[in-house]
């Protein structure tokens, strides 16, 4: 029988750290088959779902720059891809249930080819 290691896990889990990442979201595959009048609102919901999965926080907030980028071509013709910066931050509100929240902002890029998900040093 294999021995169990006596090492204890560290108390600081990676989900509780403040971190910032840049990711590319392929909105086109999330919107496929959705009716025209539901596309932009569904894209916003899919971005929130993506951020919740990537960062592990239930509280996800979208910056106005990303909202304007998604809605830039109207409700029907959303951009195929979006480069976003996901910033996990501490919640300043004392009454909040969640200790951390994720802020999503748009990142302007010329071309999406060859871009990877990467950790970014936060500006704060």
């Amino acid at each position: 029988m294999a021995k169990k290691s006596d090492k204890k896990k560290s108390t600081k889990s990676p989900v509780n750290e403040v971190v910032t990442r840049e990711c590319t979201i392929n909105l086109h595959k999330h919107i496929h088959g959705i009716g025209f009048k539901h596309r932009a609102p569904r894209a916003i919901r899919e971005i929130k779902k993506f951020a919740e999965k990537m960062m592990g926080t239930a509280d996800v907030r979208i910056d106005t720059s990303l909202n304007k980028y998604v809605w830039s071509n109207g409700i029907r013709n959303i951009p195929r891809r979006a480069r976003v910066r996901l910033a996990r931050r501490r919640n300043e509100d004392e009454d909040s249930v969640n200790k951390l929240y994720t802020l999503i902002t748009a990142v302007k890029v010329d071309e999406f080819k060859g871009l990877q998900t990467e950790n970014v040093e936060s500006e704060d």
Side-chain angles (χ1 to χ4, degrees):
M1 201 164 162
K3 292 183 179 180
K4 292 185 179 178
S5 64
D6 293 334
K7 294 180 182 177
K8 292 185 179 180
K9 287 187 177 179
S10 65
T11 57
K12 193 170 193 178
S13 99
V15 176
N16 292 332
E17 292 179 7
V18 175
V19 69
T20 304
R21 292 188 186 123
E22 266 189 22
C23 305
T24 302
I25 304 174
N26 186 354
L27 296 173
H28 189 252
K29 71 179 182 182
H30 294 291
I31 300 303
H32 178 72
I34 305 300
F36 279 154
K37 294 298 181 183
H38 306 283
R39 282 178 171 233
R42 172 65 73 93
I44 296 293
R45 280 197 302 271
E46 292 293 334
I47 291 170
K48 281 188 171 186
K49 193 161 70 170
F50 176 84
E52 189 173 336
K53 182 178 167 189
M54 283 287 291
M55 302 304 264
T57 61
D59 188 5
V60 177
R61 302 170 191 178
I62 291 188
D63 190 46
T64 55
S65 63
L66 179 60
N67 193 43
K68 284 183 181 178
Y69 176 72
V70 170
W71 284 85
S72 62
N73 299 336
I75 196 167
R76 301 192 312 177
N77 304 316
I78 64 159
R80 285 192 172 229
R81 287 182 174 80
R83 184 76 175 169
V84 295
R85 179 170 287 148
L86 307 170
R88 190 188 303 138
R89 296 183 174 175
R90 299 217 180 277
N91 206 342
E92 301 297 328
D93 188 16
E94 301 294 328
D95 303 331
S96 177
V97 177
N98 304 317
K99 292 183 175 147
L100 298 169
Y101 71 93
T102 301
L103 179 66
I104 316 170
T105 56
V107 178
K108 295 218 181 224
V109 291
D110 295 330
E111 188 174 90
F112 292 102
K113 302 255 190 225
L115 292 176
Q116 300 285 322
T117 298
E118 52 193 33
N119 287 337
V120 178
E121 297 299 322
S122 61
E123 299 86 29
D124 297 336

